């Protein structure tokens, strides 16, 4: 089963909003087939593992010679280990439970039940009705931890939320508010970019977007780029775009899918700026906001999401998460600034905090967010000169 977990993780970053799932077929203590869910919309883990046996491989070929059995014969005496309950529904692919039954695999060991209402016990029931022996809840805690993004999405109806910031030894995130300050070294930055490839979206507040002109991409690591998310509730970003002084905002460069939450009061201003900018496109300078908005019109995934003006401050985080869940964002890294991070902490709607700590100090600097006393630090990773502290909020994972 641990091998199945390992395989499942190979799908990290490309299966969302589907779960990472791994599967191993074992004939008399020998692994004869392995598989994992590679990509949302494609074949499930069980299909890959079973097909690996049917299509033959070195181990299968040797066992065929030794036992005189065909690949189908081997499957009929094998145990299938899978990290998630085999599905029972026709989604983008047919039910895995049928595939197991049709191939007459006599025994299935499952780590976690699938909470998806379309499955939710039906997969195991189908197998048992067909006479398959099923062992459930095997290494379940580890399985739930591995699949924590998916379980959070289905059970809590929101993305899995990771808070991230970098702090100096004296607990500051910048020399002063609004002043971008490099804190950690290259190893930490590269690891952070790798983390960005593993999640669906990355979010920063208006202040950080303006101060850092964040690119919010994963340019230091090869992999999938996250969706960028930010907000403009008071029109500060809009004012900055309208002013001639502002030359380019990476968030609007059209390279990556981006969502901007804007208060409904200024939605019209955004739309008219966009439209007008496109009309005037030929007449404006290369670096003006018009150019930025031309890109927006051509970028496939730029989306303005209106935030009701009446929304109280304590409803903002739940609102963002509801909307992102609807957009099928399965996991979100919140990277600052302190105010946005603190509002996530206050809401309790977060799962994990990754705090990169540098040995350098920033006396009199702008302070980091504060986690509640009860939050557990579960891991420290020593990087080159820096340390990554990982905290876990209660609940899944
Ligand atoms: C499995 N094995 O490897 C995965 C499962 O749209 P579909 O057909 O891909 O179905 C997606 C749902 O199937 C997903 O929400 C989850 O309930 C289950 N995922 N099940 O037996 C797998 N990825
Ligand atoms: Zn399936």
């Amino acid at each position: 089963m641990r091998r199945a977990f390992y395989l499942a993780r190979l799908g990290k970053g490309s299966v969302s909003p589907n779960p990472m799932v791994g599967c191993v077929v074992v004939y008399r203590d020998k692994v004869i087939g392995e598989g994992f869910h590679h990509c949302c919309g494609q074949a499930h883990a069980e299909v890959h593992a079973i097909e690996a046996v049917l299509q033959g491989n070195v181990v299968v070929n040797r066992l065929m010679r030794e036992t005189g059995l065909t690949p189908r014969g081997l499957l009929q005496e094998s145990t299938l280990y899978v990290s998630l309950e085999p599905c029972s529904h026709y989604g983008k692919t047919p039910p895995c439970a049928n595939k197991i039954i049709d191939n007459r695999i006599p025994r299935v060991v499952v780590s976690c039940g699938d909470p998806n209402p379309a499955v939710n016990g039906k997969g195991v029931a189908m197998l048992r009705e067909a006479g398959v022996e099923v062992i459930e809840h095997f290494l379940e805690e580890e399985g739930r931890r591995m699949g924590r993004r998916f379980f959070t999405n289905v059970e809590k109806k929101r993305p899995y939320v990771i808070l991230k910031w970098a702090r100096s030894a004296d607990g500051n995130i910048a020399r002063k508010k609004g002043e971008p300050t490099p804190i950690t070294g290259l190893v930490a930055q590269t690891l952070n970019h790798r983390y960005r490839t593993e999640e669906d979206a990355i979010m920063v507040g208006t202040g950080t977007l303006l101060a850092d002109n964040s690119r919010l991409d994963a340019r230091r690591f090869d992999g999938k780029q996250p969706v960028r998310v930010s907000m403009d509730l008071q029109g500060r970003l809009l004012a900055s775009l309208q002013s001639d002084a502002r030359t380019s905002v990476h968030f609007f460069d059209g390279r990556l899918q981006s969502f901007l939450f804007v208060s409904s009061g200024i939605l019209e201003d955004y739309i008219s700026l966009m439209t007008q900018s496109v009309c005037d496109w030929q007449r404006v300078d290369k670096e003006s906001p018009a150019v930025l908005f031309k890109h927006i019109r051509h970028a496939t995934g730029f989306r303005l999401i209106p935030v009701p003006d009446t929304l109280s401050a304590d409803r903002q985080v739940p609102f963002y998460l509801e909307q992102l869940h609807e957009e099928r964002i399965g996991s979100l890294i919140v990277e600052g600034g302190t105010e946005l991070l603190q509002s996530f902490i206050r809401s309790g709607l977060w799962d994990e905090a990754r705090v990169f700590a540098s040995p350098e100090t920033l006396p009199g600097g702008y302070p980091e967010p504060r986690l509640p006393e009860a939050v557990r630090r579960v891991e420290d990773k020593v990087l080159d000169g820096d340390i990554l502290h990982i905290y876990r909020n209660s609940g899944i994972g």
Side-chain angles (χ1 to χ4, degrees), residues 18-19 21 37 44-46 85-87 89 91-93 96 114 116:
N18 271 1
V21 182
H37 187 44
H44 287 183
E46 298 90 319
E85 173 184 7
C87 65
H89 68 300
K92 295 184 194 81
T93 64
C96 291
D114 184 347
N116 176 354

Side-chain angles (χ1 to χ4, degrees), residues 136 151 191 213 232 276 333 369 387:
E136 293 179 88
F151 292 115
L191 180 61
N213 196 5
D232 188 12
Q276 165 205 328
I333 309 180
I387 298 180

